[in-house]
PDB file of all heavy atoms in Angstrom:
ATOM      1  N   CYS A   1     -17.426  -6.882  27.002  1.00  0.00           N
ATOM      2  CA  CYS A   1     -18.232  -8.108  27.059  1.00  0.00           C
ATOM      3  C   CYS A   1     -17.500  -9.276  27.709  1.00  0.00           C
ATOM      4  O   CYS A   1     -18.131 -10.185  28.253  1.00  0.00           O
ATOM      5  CB  CYS A   1     -18.694  -8.499  25.659  1.00  0.00           C
ATOM      6  SG  CYS A   1     -19.885  -7.340  24.940  1.00  0.00           S
ATOM      7  N   ALA A   2     -16.163  -9.270  27.657  1.00  0.00           N
ATOM      8  CA  ALA A   2     -15.384 -10.343  28.283  1.00  0.00           C
ATOM      9  C   ALA A   2     -14.876  -9.956  29.667  1.00  0.00           C
ATOM     10  O   ALA A   2     -14.197 -10.750  30.318  1.00  0.00           O
ATOM     11  CB  ALA A   2     -14.197 -10.710  27.396  1.00  0.00           C
ATOM     12  N   SER A   3     -15.201  -8.743  30.112  1.00  0.00           N
ATOM     13  CA  SER A   3     -14.739  -8.246  31.430  1.00  0.00           C
ATOM     14  C   SER A   3     -13.235  -8.448  31.595  1.00  0.00           C
ATOM     15  O   SER A   3     -12.762  -8.995  32.594  1.00  0.00           O
ATOM     16  CB  SER A   3     -15.493  -8.947  32.561  1.00  0.00           C
ATOM     17  OG  SER A   3     -16.862  -8.615  32.528  1.00  0.00           O
ATOM     18  N   CYS A   4     -12.484  -8.001  30.586  1.00  0.00           N
ATOM     19  CA  CYS A   4     -11.033  -8.129  30.638  1.00  0.00           C
ATOM     20  C   CYS A   4     -10.393  -6.849  30.115  1.00  0.00           C
ATOM     21  O   CYS A   4     -11.076  -5.951  29.612  1.00  0.00           O
ATOM     22  CB  CYS A   4     -10.560  -9.330  29.813  1.00  0.00           C
ATOM     23  SG  CYS A   4     -10.753  -9.132  28.023  1.00  0.00           S
ATOM     24  N   VAL A   5      -9.084  -6.758  30.240  1.00  0.00           N
ATOM     25  CA  VAL A   5      -8.320  -5.657  29.672  1.00  0.00           C
ATOM     26  C   VAL A   5      -7.710  -6.138  28.355  1.00  0.00           C
ATOM     27  O   VAL A   5      -7.150  -7.237  28.293  1.00  0.00           O
ATOM     28  CB  VAL A   5      -7.201  -5.185  30.628  1.00  0.00           C
ATOM     29  CG1 VAL A   5      -6.357  -4.088  29.975  1.00  0.00           C
ATOM     30  CG2 VAL A   5      -7.801  -4.684  31.935  1.00  0.00           C
ATOM     31  N   VAL A   6      -7.819  -5.333  27.303  1.00  0.00           N
ATOM     32  CA  VAL A   6      -7.187  -5.638  26.023  1.00  0.00           C
ATOM     33  C   VAL A   6      -6.053  -4.646  25.803  1.00  0.00           C
ATOM     34  O   VAL A   6      -6.292  -3.438  25.709  1.00  0.00           O
ATOM     35  CB  VAL A   6      -8.188  -5.564  24.853  1.00  0.00           C
ATOM     36  CG1 VAL A   6      -7.469  -5.801  23.526  1.00  0.00           C
ATOM     37  CG2 VAL A   6      -9.310  -6.585  25.042  1.00  0.00           C
ATOM     38  N   VAL A   7      -4.832  -5.165  25.761  1.00  0.00           N
ATOM     39  CA  VAL A   7      -3.657  -4.323  25.508  1.00  0.00           C
ATOM     40  C   VAL A   7      -3.242  -4.575  24.069  1.00  0.00           C
ATOM     41  O   VAL A   7      -2.725  -5.637  23.728  1.00  0.00           O
ATOM     42  CB  VAL A   7      -2.500  -4.657  26.466  1.00  0.00           C
ATOM     43  CG1 VAL A   7      -1.309  -3.724  26.210  1.00  0.00           C
ATOM     44  CG2 VAL A   7      -2.967  -4.536  27.916  1.00  0.00           C
ATOM     45  N   ARG A   8      -3.475  -3.596  23.224  1.00  0.00           N
ATOM     46  CA  ARG A   8      -3.230  -3.764  21.789  1.00  0.00           C
ATOM     47  C   ARG A   8      -1.926  -3.078  21.378  1.00  0.00           C
ATOM     48  O   ARG A   8      -1.715  -1.894  21.644  1.00  0.00           O
ATOM     49  CB  ARG A   8      -4.370  -3.153  20.996  1.00  0.00           C
ATOM     50  CG  ARG A   8      -4.214  -3.294  19.485  1.00  0.00           C
ATOM     51  CD  ARG A   8      -4.813  -2.113  18.775  1.00  0.00           C
ATOM     52  NE  ARG A   8      -4.886  -2.309  17.330  1.00  0.00           N
ATOM     53  CZ  ARG A   8      -5.158  -1.331  16.476  1.00  0.00           C
ATOM     54  NH1 ARG A   8      -5.402  -0.121  16.910  1.00  0.00           N
ATOM     55  NH2 ARG A   8      -5.180  -1.567  15.183  1.00  0.00           N
ATOM     56  N   ALA A   9      -1.039  -3.845  20.731  1.00  0.00           N
ATOM     57  CA  ALA A   9       0.210  -3.308  20.171  1.00  0.00           C
ATOM     58  C   ALA A   9       0.100  -3.372  18.658  1.00  0.00           C
ATOM     59  O   ALA A   9       0.053  -4.456  18.080  1.00  0.00           O
ATOM     60  CB  ALA A   9       1.412  -4.104  20.662  1.00  0.00           C
ATOM     61  N   ASN A  10       0.047  -2.205  18.005  1.00  0.00           N
ATOM     62  CA  ASN A  10      -0.108  -2.154  16.550  1.00  0.00           C
ATOM     63  C   ASN A  10       1.132  -1.539  15.914  1.00  0.00           C
ATOM     64  O   ASN A  10       1.736  -0.610  16.462  1.00  0.00           O
ATOM     65  CB  ASN A  10      -1.341  -1.332  16.167  1.00  0.00           C
ATOM     66  CG  ASN A  10      -1.711  -1.487  14.711  1.00  0.00           C
ATOM     67  OD1 ASN A  10      -1.750  -2.593  14.173  1.00  0.00           O
ATOM     68  ND2 ASN A  10      -1.989  -0.373  14.042  1.00  0.00           N
ATOM     69  N   ARG A  11       1.488  -2.028  14.752  1.00  0.00           N
ATOM     70  CA  ARG A  11       2.701  -1.589  14.064  1.00  0.00           C
ATOM     71  C   ARG A  11       2.583  -0.183  13.509  1.00  0.00           C
ATOM     72  O   ARG A  11       1.476   0.311  13.248  1.00  0.00           O
ATOM     73  CB  ARG A  11       3.003  -2.552  12.906  1.00  0.00           C
ATOM     74  CG  ARG A  11       4.487  -2.802  12.696  1.00  0.00           C
ATOM     75  CD  ARG A  11       4.763  -3.406  11.330  1.00  0.00           C
ATOM     76  NE  ARG A  11       5.358  -2.403  10.454  1.00  0.00           N
ATOM     77  CZ  ARG A  11       6.011  -2.684   9.324  1.00  0.00           C
ATOM     78  NH1 ARG A  11       6.116  -3.927   8.917  1.00  0.00           N
ATOM     79  NH2 ARG A  11       6.535  -1.735   8.602  1.00  0.00           N
ATOM     80  N   ILE A  12       3.722   0.481  13.326  1.00  0.00           N
ATOM     81  CA  ILE A  12       3.800   1.733  12.591  1.00  0.00           C
ATOM     82  C   ILE A  12       4.698   1.526  11.365  1.00  0.00           C
ATOM     83  O   ILE A  12       5.276   0.463  11.180  1.00  0.00           O
ATOM     84  CB  ILE A  12       4.352   2.884  13.463  1.00  0.00           C
ATOM     85  CG1 ILE A  12       5.702   2.497  14.087  1.00  0.00           C
ATOM     86  CG2 ILE A  12       3.353   3.274  14.531  1.00  0.00           C
ATOM     87  CD1 ILE A  12       6.382   3.641  14.821  1.00  0.00           C
ATOM     88  N   GLY A  13       4.817   2.568  10.532  1.00  0.00           N
ATOM     89  CA  GLY A  13       5.669   2.489   9.357  1.00  0.00           C
ATOM     90  C   GLY A  13       4.860   2.252   8.097  1.00  0.00           C
ATOM     91  O   GLY A  13       3.652   2.481   8.046  1.00  0.00           O
ATOM     92  N   ALA A  14       5.538   1.787   7.045  1.00  0.00           N
ATOM     93  CA  ALA A  14       4.890   1.591   5.757  1.00  0.00           C
ATOM     94  C   ALA A  14       5.601   0.501   4.973  1.00  0.00           C
ATOM     95  O   ALA A  14       6.759   0.187   5.223  1.00  0.00           O
ATOM     96  CB  ALA A  14       4.882   2.902   4.962  1.00  0.00           C
ATOM     97  N   TYR A  15       4.872  -0.063   4.000  1.00  0.00           N
ATOM     98  CA  TYR A  15       5.444  -1.034   3.071  1.00  0.00           C
ATOM     99  C   TYR A  15       4.986  -0.673   1.663  1.00  0.00           C
ATOM    100  O   TYR A  15       3.784  -0.486   1.419  1.00  0.00           O
ATOM    101  CB  TYR A  15       5.003  -2.458   3.415  1.00  0.00           C
ATOM    102  CG  TYR A  15       5.414  -3.477   2.383  1.00  0.00           C
ATOM    103  CD1 TYR A  15       6.745  -3.877   2.273  1.00  0.00           C
ATOM    104  CD2 TYR A  15       4.486  -4.022   1.494  1.00  0.00           C
ATOM    105  CE1 TYR A  15       7.135  -4.798   1.311  1.00  0.00           C
ATOM    106  CE2 TYR A  15       4.869  -4.938   0.535  1.00  0.00           C
ATOM    107  CZ  TYR A  15       6.195  -5.320   0.446  1.00  0.00           C
ATOM    108  OH  TYR A  15       6.582  -6.216  -0.508  1.00  0.00           O
ATOM    109  N   ARG A  16       5.938  -0.550   0.741  1.00  0.00           N
ATOM    110  CA  ARG A  16       5.627  -0.204  -0.638  1.00  0.00           C
ATOM    111  C   ARG A  16       5.573  -1.484  -1.473  1.00  0.00           C
ATOM    112  O   ARG A  16       6.578  -2.151  -1.675  1.00  0.00           O
ATOM    113  CB  ARG A  16       6.670   0.765  -1.193  1.00  0.00           C
ATOM    114  CG  ARG A  16       6.287   1.367  -2.554  1.00  0.00           C
ATOM    115  CD  ARG A  16       7.311   2.410  -2.986  1.00  0.00           C
ATOM    116  NE  ARG A  16       7.445   3.463  -2.022  1.00  0.00           N
ATOM    117  CZ  ARG A  16       6.622   4.532  -1.942  1.00  0.00           C
ATOM    118  NH1 ARG A  16       5.604   4.630  -2.797  1.00  0.00           N
ATOM    119  NH2 ARG A  16       6.810   5.462  -1.041  1.00  0.00           N
ATOM    120  N   GLN A  17       4.378  -1.824  -1.957  1.00  0.00           N
ATOM    121  CA  GLN A  17       4.159  -3.045  -2.741  1.00  0.00           C
ATOM    122  C   GLN A  17       4.135  -2.713  -4.229  1.00  0.00           C
ATOM    123  O   GLN A  17       3.461  -1.772  -4.659  1.00  0.00           O
ATOM    124  CB  GLN A  17       2.837  -3.694  -2.337  1.00  0.00           C
ATOM    125  CG  GLN A  17       2.549  -5.008  -3.051  1.00  0.00           C
ATOM    126  CD  GLN A  17       1.188  -5.571  -2.681  1.00  0.00           C
ATOM    127  OE1 GLN A  17       0.379  -4.899  -2.032  1.00  0.00           O
ATOM    128  NE2 GLN A  17       0.924  -6.813  -3.073  1.00  0.00           N
ATOM    129  N   ILE A  18       4.874  -3.484  -5.013  1.00  0.00           N
ATOM    130  CA  ILE A  18       4.884  -3.338  -6.463  1.00  0.00           C
ATOM    131  C   ILE A  18       3.954  -4.384  -7.064  1.00  0.00           C
ATOM    132  O   ILE A  18       4.128  -5.586  -6.845  1.00  0.00           O
ATOM    133  CB  ILE A  18       6.301  -3.499  -7.045  1.00  0.00           C
ATOM    134  CG1 ILE A  18       7.279  -2.537  -6.351  1.00  0.00           C
ATOM    135  CG2 ILE A  18       6.284  -3.268  -8.544  1.00  0.00           C
ATOM    136  CD1 ILE A  18       6.948  -1.075  -6.540  1.00  0.00           C
ATOM    137  N   ILE A  19       2.960  -3.931  -7.830  1.00  0.00           N
ATOM    138  CA  ILE A  19       1.989  -4.825  -8.445  1.00  0.00           C
ATOM    139  C   ILE A  19       2.110  -4.701  -9.959  1.00  0.00           C
ATOM    140  O   ILE A  19       2.009  -3.603 -10.510  1.00  0.00           O
ATOM    141  CB  ILE A  19       0.555  -4.485  -8.004  1.00  0.00           C
ATOM    142  CG1 ILE A  19       0.432  -4.573  -6.470  1.00  0.00           C
ATOM    143  CG2 ILE A  19      -0.445  -5.427  -8.666  1.00  0.00           C
ATOM    144  CD1 ILE A  19      -0.908  -4.106  -5.939  1.00  0.00           C
ATOM    145  N   VAL A  20       2.336  -5.847 -10.639  1.00  0.00           N
ATOM    146  CA  VAL A  20       2.448  -5.857 -12.093  1.00  0.00           C
ATOM    147  C   VAL A  20       1.236  -6.577 -12.671  1.00  0.00           C
ATOM    148  O   VAL A  20       1.012  -7.761 -12.408  1.00  0.00           O
ATOM    149  CB  VAL A  20       3.749  -6.539 -12.561  1.00  0.00           C
ATOM    150  CG1 VAL A  20       3.823  -6.541 -14.084  1.00  0.00           C
ATOM    151  CG2 VAL A  20       4.960  -5.837 -11.957  1.00  0.00           C
ATOM    152  N   GLU A  21       0.444  -5.858 -13.476  1.00  0.00           N
ATOM    153  CA  GLU A  21      -0.745  -6.409 -14.103  1.00  0.00           C
ATOM    154  C   GLU A  21      -0.786  -5.976 -15.568  1.00  0.00           C
ATOM    155  O   GLU A  21      -0.721  -4.778 -15.859  1.00  0.00           O
ATOM    156  CB  GLU A  21      -2.014  -5.948 -13.384  1.00  0.00           C
ATOM    157  CG  GLU A  21      -2.163  -6.491 -11.972  1.00  0.00           C
ATOM    158  CD  GLU A  21      -3.425  -5.989 -11.288  1.00  0.00           C
ATOM    159  OE1 GLU A  21      -3.909  -4.904 -11.674  1.00  0.00           O
ATOM    160  OE2 GLU A  21      -3.916  -6.687 -10.403  1.00  0.00           O
ATOM    161  N   GLU A  22      -0.889  -6.957 -16.456  1.00  0.00           N
ATOM    162  CA  GLU A  22      -0.965  -6.685 -17.898  1.00  0.00           C
ATOM    163  C   GLU A  22       0.171  -5.758 -18.340  1.00  0.00           C
ATOM    164  O   GLU A  22      -0.049  -4.732 -18.993  1.00  0.00           O
ATOM    165  CB  GLU A  22      -2.328  -6.074 -18.236  1.00  0.00           C
ATOM    166  CG  GLU A  22      -3.504  -6.998 -17.942  1.00  0.00           C
ATOM    167  CD  GLU A  22      -4.841  -6.395 -18.303  1.00  0.00           C
ATOM    168  OE1 GLU A  22      -4.859  -5.207 -18.684  1.00  0.00           O
ATOM    169  OE2 GLU A  22      -5.857  -7.111 -18.200  1.00  0.00           O
ATOM    170  N   ASN A  23       1.389  -6.147 -17.942  1.00  0.00           N
ATOM    171  CA  ASN A  23       2.619  -5.440 -18.301  1.00  0.00           C
ATOM    172  C   ASN A  23       2.672  -4.000 -17.778  1.00  0.00           C
ATOM    173  O   ASN A  23       3.465  -3.180 -18.250  1.00  0.00           O
ATOM    174  CB  ASN A  23       2.807  -5.421 -19.822  1.00  0.00           C
ATOM    175  CG  ASN A  23       2.946  -6.817 -20.387  1.00  0.00           C
ATOM    176  OD1 ASN A  23       3.593  -7.676 -19.779  1.00  0.00           O
ATOM    177  ND2 ASN A  23       2.338  -7.063 -21.546  1.00  0.00           N
ATOM    178  N   GLN A  24       1.834  -3.710 -16.802  1.00  0.00           N
ATOM    179  CA  GLN A  24       1.848  -2.377 -16.199  1.00  0.00           C
ATOM    180  C   GLN A  24       2.222  -2.483 -14.730  1.00  0.00           C
ATOM    181  O   GLN A  24       1.654  -3.301 -14.001  1.00  0.00           O
ATOM    182  CB  GLN A  24       0.486  -1.703 -16.346  1.00  0.00           C
ATOM    183  CG  GLN A  24       0.464  -0.264 -15.828  1.00  0.00           C
ATOM    184  CD  GLN A  24      -0.868   0.418 -16.101  1.00  0.00           C
ATOM    185  OE1 GLN A  24      -1.742  -0.161 -16.737  1.00  0.00           O
ATOM    186  NE2 GLN A  24      -1.021   1.649 -15.644  1.00  0.00           N
ATOM    187  N   LYS A  25       3.197  -1.671 -14.320  1.00  0.00           N
ATOM    188  CA  LYS A  25       3.675  -1.702 -12.933  1.00  0.00           C
ATOM    189  C   LYS A  25       2.998  -0.598 -12.133  1.00  0.00           C
ATOM    190  O   LYS A  25       2.996   0.572 -12.539  1.00  0.00           O
ATOM    191  CB  LYS A  25       5.190  -1.521 -12.888  1.00  0.00           C
ATOM    192  CG  LYS A  25       5.773  -1.586 -11.472  1.00  0.00           C
ATOM    193  CD  LYS A  25       7.244  -1.228 -11.447  1.00  0.00           C
ATOM    194  CE  LYS A  25       8.094  -2.261 -12.155  1.00  0.00           C
ATOM    195  NZ  LYS A  25       9.541  -1.961 -11.986  1.00  0.00           N
ATOM    196  N   ASN A  26       2.436  -0.981 -10.990  1.00  0.00           N
ATOM    197  CA  ASN A  26       1.805  -0.015 -10.093  1.00  0.00           C
ATOM    198  C   ASN A  26       2.374  -0.179  -8.690  1.00  0.00           C
ATOM    199  O   ASN A  26       2.763  -1.281  -8.283  1.00  0.00           O
ATOM    200  CB  ASN A  26       0.288  -0.217 -10.050  1.00  0.00           C
ATOM    201  CG  ASN A  26      -0.363   0.031 -11.389  1.00  0.00           C
ATOM    202  OD1 ASN A  26      -0.212   1.101 -11.959  1.00  0.00           O
ATOM    203  ND2 ASN A  26      -1.081  -0.971 -11.904  1.00  0.00           N
ATOM    204  N   GLU A  27       2.428   0.918  -7.966  1.00  0.00           N
ATOM    205  CA  GLU A  27       2.876   0.906  -6.580  1.00  0.00           C
ATOM    206  C   GLU A  27       1.683   1.089  -5.655  1.00  0.00           C
ATOM    207  O   GLU A  27       0.795   1.896  -5.932  1.00  0.00           O
ATOM    208  CB  GLU A  27       3.912   2.000  -6.328  1.00  0.00           C
ATOM    209  CG  GLU A  27       5.250   1.742  -6.984  1.00  0.00           C
ATOM    210  CD  GLU A  27       6.311   2.717  -6.505  1.00  0.00           C
ATOM    211  OE1 GLU A  27       5.982   3.590  -5.678  1.00  0.00           O
ATOM    212  OE2 GLU A  27       7.461   2.590  -6.936  1.00  0.00           O
ATOM    213  N   PHE A  28       1.712   0.315  -4.565  1.00  0.00           N
ATOM    214  CA  PHE A  28       0.649   0.419  -3.570  1.00  0.00           C
ATOM    215  C   PHE A  28       1.305   0.574  -2.203  1.00  0.00           C
ATOM    216  O   PHE A  28       2.146  -0.233  -1.814  1.00  0.00           O
ATOM    217  CB  PHE A  28      -0.238  -0.823  -3.596  1.00  0.00           C
ATOM    218  CG  PHE A  28      -1.429  -0.737  -2.697  1.00  0.00           C
ATOM    219  CD1 PHE A  28      -2.549  -0.029  -3.076  1.00  0.00           C
ATOM    220  CD2 PHE A  28      -1.422  -1.350  -1.452  1.00  0.00           C
ATOM    221  CE1 PHE A  28      -3.654   0.061  -2.243  1.00  0.00           C
ATOM    222  CE2 PHE A  28      -2.513  -1.268  -0.608  1.00  0.00           C
ATOM    223  CZ  PHE A  28      -3.642  -0.560  -1.012  1.00  0.00           C
ATOM    224  N   LEU A  29       0.937   1.616  -1.478  1.00  0.00           N
ATOM    225  CA  LEU A  29       1.566   1.914  -0.193  1.00  0.00           C
ATOM    226  C   LEU A  29       0.665   1.470   0.956  1.00  0.00           C
ATOM    227  O   LEU A  29      -0.470   1.934   1.084  1.00  0.00           O
ATOM    228  CB  LEU A  29       1.868   3.411  -0.078  1.00  0.00           C
ATOM    229  CG  LEU A  29       2.696   3.828   1.141  1.00  0.00           C
ATOM    230  CD1 LEU A  29       4.098   3.215   1.069  1.00  0.00           C
ATOM    231  CD2 LEU A  29       2.769   5.344   1.244  1.00  0.00           C
ATOM    232  N   TRP A  30       1.194   0.547   1.766  1.00  0.00           N
ATOM    233  CA  TRP A  30       0.515   0.120   2.991  1.00  0.00           C
ATOM    234  C   TRP A  30       1.037   0.984   4.149  1.00  0.00           C
ATOM    235  O   TRP A  30       2.223   0.952   4.461  1.00  0.00           O
ATOM    236  CB  TRP A  30       0.816  -1.344   3.292  1.00  0.00           C
ATOM    237  CG  TRP A  30       0.399  -2.325   2.246  1.00  0.00           C
ATOM    238  CD1 TRP A  30       0.900  -2.438   0.971  1.00  0.00           C
ATOM    239  CD2 TRP A  30      -0.591  -3.344   2.381  1.00  0.00           C
ATOM    240  NE1 TRP A  30       0.286  -3.466   0.311  1.00  0.00           N
ATOM    241  CE2 TRP A  30      -0.633  -4.046   1.141  1.00  0.00           C
ATOM    242  CE3 TRP A  30      -1.437  -3.741   3.414  1.00  0.00           C
ATOM    243  CZ2 TRP A  30      -1.490  -5.118   0.933  1.00  0.00           C
ATOM    244  CZ3 TRP A  30      -2.279  -4.814   3.197  1.00  0.00           C
ATOM    245  CH2 TRP A  30      -2.308  -5.488   1.971  1.00  0.00           C
ATOM    246  N   LYS A  31       0.161   1.727   4.796  1.00  0.00           N
ATOM    247  CA  LYS A  31       0.550   2.568   5.927  1.00  0.00           C
ATOM    248  C   LYS A  31       0.003   1.975   7.216  1.00  0.00           C
ATOM    249  O   LYS A  31      -1.191   1.706   7.324  1.00  0.00           O
ATOM    250  CB  LYS A  31       0.017   3.997   5.744  1.00  0.00           C
ATOM    251  CG  LYS A  31       0.614   4.739   4.563  1.00  0.00           C
ATOM    252  CD  LYS A  31       0.045   6.160   4.485  1.00  0.00           C
ATOM    253  CE  LYS A  31       0.640   6.924   3.320  1.00  0.00           C
ATOM    254  NZ  LYS A  31       0.082   8.300   3.220  1.00  0.00           N
ATOM    255  N   PHE A  32       0.885   1.777   8.160  1.00  0.00           N
ATOM    256  CA  PHE A  32       0.510   1.228   9.468  1.00  0.00           C
ATOM    257  C   PHE A  32       0.504   2.367  10.481  1.00  0.00           C
ATOM    258  O   PHE A  32       1.530   2.999  10.709  1.00  0.00           O
ATOM    259  CB  PHE A  32       1.477   0.114   9.865  1.00  0.00           C
ATOM    260  CG  PHE A  32       1.673  -0.909   8.776  1.00  0.00           C
ATOM    261  CD1 PHE A  32       2.861  -0.974   8.065  1.00  0.00           C
ATOM    262  CD2 PHE A  32       0.653  -1.778   8.441  1.00  0.00           C
ATOM    263  CE1 PHE A  32       3.039  -1.895   7.048  1.00  0.00           C
ATOM    264  CE2 PHE A  32       0.819  -2.717   7.417  1.00  0.00           C
ATOM    265  CZ  PHE A  32       2.010  -2.766   6.725  1.00  0.00           C
ATOM    266  N   TYR A  33      -0.641   2.607  11.074  1.00  0.00           N
ATOM    267  CA  TYR A  33      -0.869   3.872  11.790  1.00  0.00           C
ATOM    268  C   TYR A  33      -0.618   3.812  13.299  1.00  0.00           C
ATOM    269  O   TYR A  33      -0.743   4.821  13.990  1.00  0.00           O
ATOM    270  CB  TYR A  33      -2.299   4.349  11.541  1.00  0.00           C
ATOM    271  CG  TYR A  33      -3.368   3.317  11.855  1.00  0.00           C
ATOM    272  CD1 TYR A  33      -3.752   3.038  13.163  1.00  0.00           C
ATOM    273  CD2 TYR A  33      -3.991   2.619  10.830  1.00  0.00           C
ATOM    274  CE1 TYR A  33      -4.720   2.102  13.444  1.00  0.00           C
ATOM    275  CE2 TYR A  33      -4.973   1.674  11.102  1.00  0.00           C
ATOM    276  CZ  TYR A  33      -5.344   1.427  12.405  1.00  0.00           C
ATOM    277  OH  TYR A  33      -6.302   0.486  12.691  1.00  0.00           O
ATOM    278  N   GLY A  34      -0.309   2.647  13.845  1.00  0.00           N
ATOM    279  CA  GLY A  34      -0.076   2.586  15.285  1.00  0.00           C
ATOM    280  C   GLY A  34      -1.372   2.578  16.074  1.00  0.00           C
ATOM    281  O   GLY A  34      -2.188   1.667  15.945  1.00  0.00           O
ATOM    282  N   ASP A  35      -1.564   3.570  16.902  1.00  0.00           N
ATOM    283  CA  ASP A  35      -2.724   3.654  17.798  1.00  0.00           C
ATOM    284  C   ASP A  35      -2.779   2.457  18.746  1.00  0.00           C
ATOM    285  O   ASP A  35      -3.844   1.887  18.996  1.00  0.00           O
ATOM    286  CB  ASP A  35      -4.033   3.779  17.030  1.00  0.00           C
ATOM    287  CG  ASP A  35      -5.188   4.272  17.908  1.00  0.00           C
ATOM    288  OD1 ASP A  35      -4.905   5.045  18.859  1.00  0.00           O
ATOM    289  OD2 ASP A  35      -6.343   3.900  17.667  1.00  0.00           O
ATOM    290  N   SER A  36      -1.615   2.061  19.262  1.00  0.00           N
ATOM    291  CA  SER A  36      -1.591   1.052  20.328  1.00  0.00           C
ATOM    292  C   SER A  36      -2.299   1.636  21.548  1.00  0.00           C
ATOM    293  O   SER A  36      -2.101   2.804  21.886  1.00  0.00           O
ATOM    294  CB  SER A  36      -0.149   0.687  20.675  1.00  0.00           C
ATOM    295  OG  SER A  36       0.505   0.129  19.546  1.00  0.00           O
ATOM    296  N   PHE A  37      -3.111   0.812  22.209  1.00  0.00           N
ATOM    297  CA  PHE A  37      -3.914   1.360  23.305  1.00  0.00           C
ATOM    298  C   PHE A  37      -4.240   0.286  24.330  1.00  0.00           C
ATOM    299  O   PHE A  37      -3.960  -0.905  24.130  1.00  0.00           O
ATOM    300  CB  PHE A  37      -5.199   2.001  22.780  1.00  0.00           C
ATOM    301  CG  PHE A  37      -6.084   1.095  21.957  1.00  0.00           C
ATOM    302  CD1 PHE A  37      -6.752   0.016  22.520  1.00  0.00           C
ATOM    303  CD2 PHE A  37      -6.268   1.340  20.597  1.00  0.00           C
ATOM    304  CE1 PHE A  37      -7.567  -0.809  21.768  1.00  0.00           C
ATOM    305  CE2 PHE A  37      -7.087   0.519  19.824  1.00  0.00           C
ATOM    306  CZ  PHE A  37      -7.739  -0.550  20.419  1.00  0.00           C
ATOM    307  N   VAL A  38      -4.874   0.727  25.414  1.00  0.00           N
ATOM    308  CA  VAL A  38      -5.390  -0.160  26.453  1.00  0.00           C
ATOM    309  C   VAL A  38      -6.896   0.039  26.527  1.00  0.00           C
ATOM    310  O   VAL A  38      -7.373   1.160  26.769  1.00  0.00           O
ATOM    311  CB  VAL A  38      -4.751   0.139  27.818  1.00  0.00           C
ATOM    312  CG1 VAL A  38      -5.366  -0.750  28.899  1.00  0.00           C
ATOM    313  CG2 VAL A  38      -3.244  -0.067  27.764  1.00  0.00           C
ATOM    314  N   ALA A  39      -7.657  -1.042  26.278  1.00  0.00           N
ATOM    315  CA  ALA A  39      -9.112  -1.010  26.403  1.00  0.00           C
ATOM    316  C   ALA A  39      -9.500  -1.664  27.725  1.00  0.00           C
ATOM    317  O   ALA A  39      -9.068  -2.785  28.019  1.00  0.00           O
ATOM    318  CB  ALA A  39      -9.771  -1.729  25.230  1.00  0.00           C
ATOM    319  N   LEU A  40     -10.309  -0.987  28.512  1.00  0.00           N
ATOM    320  CA  LEU A  40     -10.660  -1.437  29.856  1.00  0.00           C
ATOM    321  C   LEU A  40     -11.989  -2.199  29.879  1.00  0.00           C
ATOM    322  O   LEU A  40     -12.805  -2.060  28.957  1.00  0.00           O
ATOM    323  CB  LEU A  40     -10.754  -0.232  30.790  1.00  0.00           C
ATOM    324  CG  LEU A  40      -9.474   0.592  30.973  1.00  0.00           C
ATOM    325  CD1 LEU A  40      -9.753   1.806  31.852  1.00  0.00           C
ATOM    326  CD2 LEU A  40      -8.362  -0.260  31.565  1.00  0.00           C
ATOM    327  N   PRO A  41     -12.245  -2.975  30.939  1.00  0.00           N
ATOM    328  CA  PRO A  41     -13.494  -3.741  31.035  1.00  0.00           C
ATOM    329  C   PRO A  41     -14.748  -2.873  31.135  1.00  0.00           C
ATOM    330  O   PRO A  41     -15.850  -3.404  31.032  1.00  0.00           O
ATOM    331  CB  PRO A  41     -13.302  -4.566  32.321  1.00  0.00           C
ATOM    332  CG  PRO A  41     -11.841  -4.630  32.529  1.00  0.00           C
ATOM    333  CD  PRO A  41     -11.303  -3.329  32.018  1.00  0.00           C
ATOM    334  N   ASN A  42     -14.604  -1.575  31.352  1.00  0.00           N
ATOM    335  CA  ASN A  42     -15.783  -0.699  31.348  1.00  0.00           C
ATOM    336  C   ASN A  42     -16.077  -0.152  29.954  1.00  0.00           C
ATOM    337  O   ASN A  42     -16.947   0.708  29.777  1.00  0.00           O
ATOM    338  CB  ASN A  42     -15.615   0.445  32.344  1.00  0.00           C
ATOM    339  CG  ASN A  42     -14.457   1.371  32.003  1.00  0.00           C
ATOM    340  OD1 ASN A  42     -13.772   1.171  31.000  1.00  0.00           O
ATOM    341  ND2 ASN A  42     -14.240   2.373  32.830  1.00  0.00           N
TER     342      ASN A  42
END
């Protein structure tokens, strides 16, 4: 729609978040999947 090229750089890897709620500790894993790409005007 913008007749441009979009060059996307996305992160990879993971981050382990510790969440404490009502004296209970939980782990939450954020996974970054990459898929960096080039989107064309077509």
Side-chain angles (χ1 to χ4, degrees):
C1 292
S3 295
C4 69
V5 176
V6 176
V7 182
R8 181 213 190 192
N10 192 46
R11 217 197 106 163
I12 54 173
Y15 172 73
R16 190 175 302 277
Q17 183 183 10
I18 306 298
I19 302 174
V20 179
E21 293 179 335
E22 297 181 354
N23 298 321
Q24 184 175 356
K25 182 187 293 186
N26 297 304
E27 290 190 359
F28 186 79
L29 188 64
W30 300 66
K31 295 181 179 179
F32 310 108
Y33 53 77
D35 197 31
S36 299
F37 57 68
V38 177
L40 299 176
N42 63 1

